Amino acid sequence: MPAAPMLDFGLGETADMIRDTTSRFAADKIEPISAKIDAEDWFPEALWPQMGELGLHGITVEEEWGGLGLGYLEHCVAVEEVSRASASVGLSYGAHSNLCVNQIRRWGNDEQKAKYLPKLISGEHVGSLAMSEAGAGSDVVSMKLKADAVQGGYVLNGTKFWITNAEYADTLVVYGKTGEGSGGITAFFIEKDMPGFSIGQKIDKVGMRGSPTAELVFNDCEVPNENVMGPVNGGVGVLMSGLDYERAVLAAIQLGVMQACLDVVLPFVRERKQFGQPIGSFQLMQAKVADMYVALNSSRAYVYAVARACDAGQTTRFDAAGSILLASENAVQVALEAVQALGGAGYTKDWPVERYMRDAKLLDIGAGTNEIRRMLIGRELIGASG
């Protein structure tokens, strides 16, 4: 249970049930191995089928395809609780269940859904999505991975970079260039054993260790026509349509990080004594805890509201970007304050707050930098009013 009381946001009985189930699983199965995951940069693949048994991989997928038929609000709650135990597991889980599974659910045809979704939802397979390249990060539509049309399909040549779950993924949704400009991008299903496809450089990150990140290499990789997802040359529409949902769901990782910080800090300041009294009795420490709590709940309010808007088909691109902007920056500040609250102890590996600090920083940069988010928000608002 969280060390701090949790405000009732009125998310509904289903979301509360998802939170309770996921929280108990995370506390029992993920939190005990979270330090090992980070220290060894170890991806706990065995968790995937266990999460599948709980239905966590198919929260947003319709029941006819083996999912729970719920919404992005429930998905955010699940990601939050997983990330409270381990942000790196939360990141890999979000990449699997939202970036991969949810995109297949939204854009795959019936044959593709029948082929790929069952094992992804059960957790037998791990999923990934590949947009970015070494020279195409924020400007993702400048990607260079070439997909040349041949009889019966396409031949892919080039690389992708910064790809979450790459090393362990069985099924990957990959974007390649099938024409010129932004109107010449197409999404493909790539399977890990396809000839000409391999894993390149593995990336050693400061934080989110245990969530594997690597390069994808395509060397005359033949992909059949039936592995095209969505319209040919319509990949930008597929890609952009998923970004709002991605931002909302990944923002929930930061909610989990902030809750984890409070879970450590509150007991510590109650028990740690200096000058003959608990350090939590000092007003400066009380102010620090108050700021952490308000940062968490203000972020929750925005993320939950955007998730509900996603479920109602009413989200805006600038609010989706705004929710992860607020949550990511608040999480970094809360994690820094958690380290400060613990003093010297917080700067050691004996306490998890230094890990929370390293993990929190990723989403200031990953899934779009905060600079890009601010540019998008400002541009959309000024354009809307002009």
Side-chain angles (χ1 to χ4, degrees):
M1 293 295 291
M6 183 170 177
L7 176 65
D8 184 0
F9 284 90
L11 304 186
E13 183 178 344
T14 302
D16 290 344
M17 180 186 68
I18 292 288
R19 185 184 300 279
D20 181 63
T21 299
T22 310
S23 177
R24 284 188 281 109
F25 172 80
D28 183 43
K29 299 294 185 181
I30 303 177
E31 197 282 329
I33 60 174
S34 60
K36 173 183 170 70
I37 289 170
D38 176 71
E40 300 180 10
D41 199 9
W42 166 55
F43 178 59
E45 194 172 5
L47 290 173
W48 251 236
Q50 298 176 52
M51 295 167 75
E53 290 178 8
L54 295 178
L56 296 181
H57 296 313
I59 289 177
T60 58
V61 178
E62 292 81 0
E63 292 182 24
E64 65 179 296
W65 299 110
L68 297 183
L70 301 175
Y72 296 103
L73 177 63
E74 289 82 9
H75 200 178
C76 282
V77 167
V79 169
E80 177 183 351
E81 292 301 321
V82 169
S83 302
R84 180 157 66 99
S86 169
S88 67
V89 175
L91 177 62
S92 282
Y93 167 52
H96 170 92
S97 59
N98 180 259
L99 277 67
C100 182
V101 170
N102 192 60
Q103 280 291 73
I104 296 173
R105 166 242 164 192
R106 295 179 65 243
W107 288 97
N109 59 38
D110 286 354
E111 291 76 15
Q112 291 166 343
K113 291 178 183 179
K115 180 177 181 179
Y116 294 112
L117 285 180
K119 289 185 177 181
L120 289 168
I121 290 174
S122 71
E124 182 179 346
H125 281 181
V126 174
S128 179
L129 178 134
M131 296 185 291
S132 299
E133 297 177 7
S138 297
D139 182 18
V140 71
V141 296
S142 68
M143 65 180 67
K144 303 296 185 186
L145 177 67
K146 190 68 174 171
D148 292 315
V150 297
Q151 185 174 359
Y154 294 82
V155 174
L156 274 59
N157 281 285
T159 61
K160 291 290 180 181
F161 211 66
W162 307 112
I163 308 306
T164 301
N165 295 347
E167 184 180 354
Y168 294 87
D170 300 276
T171 302
L172 305 95
V173 175
V174 175
Y175 294 90
K177 294 287 288 185
T178 47
E180 298 299 322
S182 61
I185 293 174
T186 302
F188 298 92
F189 288 103
I190 301 298
E191 298 158 27
K192 68 176 182 180
D193 56 356
M194 281 182 165
F197 170 64
S198 62
I199 303 299
Q201 176 186 349
K202 299 177 179 65
I203 301 167
D204 188 12
K205 305 189 300 296
V206 169
M208 294 295 190
R209 297 173 59 78
S211 177
T213 309
E215 176 187 32
L216 308 182
V217 178
F218 298 86
N219 185 13
D220 290 335
C221 177
E222 297 182 7
V223 182
N225 281 324
E226 56 264 30
N227 279 40
V228 172
M229 188 178 80
V232 173
N233 293 327
V236 166
V238 177
L239 186 157
M240 293 299 181
S241 72
L243 287 180
D244 293 342
Y245 306 114
E246 172 188 335
R247 288 170 175 139
V249 170
L250 294 185
I253 295 172
Q254 303 295 66
L255 305 182
V257 170
M258 286 186 274
Q259 182 64 68
C261 288
L262 279 169
D263 290 345
V264 172
V265 168
L266 285 174
F268 184 88
V269 300
R270 290 167 183 153
E271 297 167 8
R272 169 71 169 167
K273 291 186 177 180
Q274 290 288 278
F275 306 104
Q277 55 188 312
I279 62 173
S281 66
F282 299 116
Q283 290 180 343
L284 280 173
M285 191 60 70
Q286 292 167 5
K288 192 179 298 295
V289 168
D291 288 344
M292 295 170 68
Y293 179 76
V294 171
L296 167 57
N297 276 338
S298 60
S299 300
R300 273 183 172 141
Y302 201 1
V303 172
Y304 295 161
V306 169
R308 280 174 152 157
C310 288
D311 289 331
Q314 297 175 344
T315 190
T316 63
R317 183 144 296 168
F318 49 86
D319 278 314
S323 65
I324 193 169
L325 170 65
L326 179 68
S328 65
E329 293 194 341
N330 278 353
V332 171
Q333 188 58 41
V334 166
L336 286 169
E337 293 285 30
V339 172
Q340 192 72 20
L342 269 65
Y347 202 63
T348 70
K349 295 284 188 178
D350 294 333
W351 291 82
V353 289
E354 61 83 28
R355 164 162 51 94
Y356 303 158
M357 177 178 65
R358 290 183 286 107
D359 288 347
K361 185 60 185 172
L362 184 277
L363 286 178
D364 270 1
I365 303 165
T369 66
N370 278 344
E371 288 77 11
I372 291 294
R373 292 165 189 156
R374 283 188 164 88
M375 183 182 74
L376 185 155
I377 294 166
R379 184 180 61 203
E380 292 272 334
L381 289 173
I382 292 169
S385 64

